[in-house]
Amino acid sequence: MFTQHSDIAQLEPKEIWQFFDQICAIPHPSKHEEALAQFIINWATDQGLAVRRDQTGNVFIKKPATDGMSHITPVVLQAHIDMVPQKNDDTVHDFTTDPIRPYIDGEWVTATGTTLGADNGMGMASCLAVLAAKDIKHGPLEVLLTIDEEAGMTGAFGLEAGYLEGEILLNTDSEQEGEIYMGCAGGVDATMTLPIQRVSEPQEQSVFSLTLKGLKGGHSGVDIHTGRANANKLLSRFLKNYLTDIPFQLINFKGGSLRNAIPREAYAHISIASEHETALVTHINNYLNLISVELASIETTITFEATPSVLTDYPMTKQSAQQVLALLNACPNGVIRMSDDIEGVVETSLNMGVINTYDTHFEVLCLVRSLIDSGRSDVEGQLRSLAELANAEIEFSGTYPGWKPEPNSNILHIFRDVYEGIYGKKPHIMVIHAGLECGLFKKPYPNMDMISFGPTIKFPHSPDEKVKIDTVGLYWQQMKAILENIPAK
């Protein structure tokens, strides 16, 4: 059907892996999904399927019911087109032009030095495989592929009432086989902006670039409870608390690249008197030893070093540098509260995701997640207070709702019974501490019955991302079985 781009196309079930192999070959990071969207549109049109798009750019594909199944309740299969672009520091890769390079690693499929895009490429591949299948019994089907999920849920926000006819939605964006998700966290972006002053006449000092990297990173929702370190927090901790006996000037601080990914790398430029260069190296080595011991069971490849650099900007004034480092050091990060209602699930969290320094101001971008609105509001209040103390401005944007669990969902019970019938055991019914689009779909389609499921994907939003091969077959088995067991209208 397609040109094979990697060995994964030969994996079973081929129905899914061949599509995923093709997806990997077409660049599709957030904001740059058009090439893949057009490929899918052209393919669906060639298959004789009805295709349309809305003004936002979401793709809708319809497939008629198989013979004798037109009376079955119509179903929407849903995935998002975009992927998170993250790579290792030593990997040369342009996500807008270069294909993902997947390979088989034992029981897993992963990518060479980059995110794999299994989130949500595996789900998208399964939706397309259903459209292509001739041997699956099903009622009327629609496939909804949204854009820009990872960078702001633009497609879900733009979904309008009237585009979908289905009454049941199967979201394919979950990442643990054997678990059915019936709810998810909502979230909001918080941007703190602190004005900074720079010295008018820099001193003649040695300039160094500090680089802290080698962290695992990961998804700021599903991995936030794992104890994975935040590079922004580690580097600001060093500058604020472990470099107190060396006078230094802070020039710039930069870290992280996405609000929804735990930062793996952070950088700072500082200047010091030449007589303190040896002491700086000693402090860095001591701090690296300290955090390596602290994080020994989680972070095993941390590096921290200082390299000579040149002065690209005038240093901040002492007062501005103190404000910047105090803000970073005091900013909450990680798990704020575990759920009282759902054992082992995070209720509220915050990820200090992206830091940038500009000529006249300093910027911190955080993502707050919570299963409950009051939890999100509480963290918003904490950040407002922090900004007030730091004389910074704060703006909240991109608020999206959580997906409220519905224990009496018909599709939830149908899926549970189908799963038990196949495997002789019940699946785990869960709520996920991540942002699924289902919460936003409930606004234009308040009566749509929804669940989310998928194969096992580990460490999404990081170059360690991988999908477990055998769970793809289990997931495909479940997808076919649930479609064949949808009840009549």
Side-chain angles (χ1 to χ4, degrees), residues 310-324:
V310 296
L311 191 67
T312 55
D313 293 294
Y314 284 5
M316 299 179 198
T317 64
K318 183 177 180 179
Q319 181 179 3
S320 287
Q322 288 175 337
Q323 286 180 307
V324 163

Side-chain angles (χ1 to χ4, degrees), residues 325-369:
L325 295 179
L327 174 65
L328 294 179
N329 198 50
C331 185
N333 181 77
V335 175
I336 305 298
R337 180 176 169 82
M338 300 296 291
S339 173
D340 292 331
D341 300 320
I342 309 167
E343 185 178 356
V345 173
V346 178
E347 177 202 277
T348 305
S349 72
L350 182 144
N351 181 52
M352 192 168 76
V354 184
I355 295 174
N356 282 304
T357 307
Y358 302 95
D359 287 342
T360 60
H361 65 280
F362 181 81
E363 187 178 86
V364 182
L365 175 59
C366 302
L367 174 57
V368 182
R369 300 181 190 266

